[in-house]
Amino acid sequence: MSDILLTIPEIDERIAAIRGNLRDLIEQAAAYSGAADEERASDRIADQEEELERLIKRRDELSKT
């Protein structure tokens, strides 16, 4: 996902959306039963956390300029 041309407000919107996704995924993971479901939920949560960290870093970089 290319965020090079995004503005700070656009990045903030994506950050908010990802945080919402994480809340939903955590709630879903709590309701899952079975190792395969838990692993899949864990992978999705990890992916969202990585994206969140990347966007926060990019927003911080843009804020410095």
Side-chain angles (χ1 to χ4, degrees):
M1 183 180 296
S2 176
D3 55 280
I4 294 172
L5 301 177
L6 295 176
T7 64
I8 291 174
E10 291 169 330
I11 291 173
D12 285 338
E13 286 179 24
R14 287 189 181 190
I15 288 171
I18 289 172
R19 286 182 173 151
N21 290 345
L22 282 168
R23 278 190 298 275
D24 293 343
L25 288 169
I26 290 167
E27 287 177 15
Q28 290 171 10
Y32 288 151
S33 62
D37 289 334
E38 290 174 12
E39 184 176 343
R40 185 172 35 243
S42 258
D43 289 344
R44 292 176 65 201
I45 289 169
D47 290 343
Q48 289 292 289
E49 287 174 338
E50 285 177 22
E51 179 71 3
L52 179 61
E53 288 177 26
R54 189 181 64 74
L55 287 169
I56 290 171
K57 181 179 176 184
R58 181 65 180 143
R59 180 185 62 190
D60 291 347
E61 290 169 354
L62 287 173
S63 294
K64 291 178 184 176
T65 58

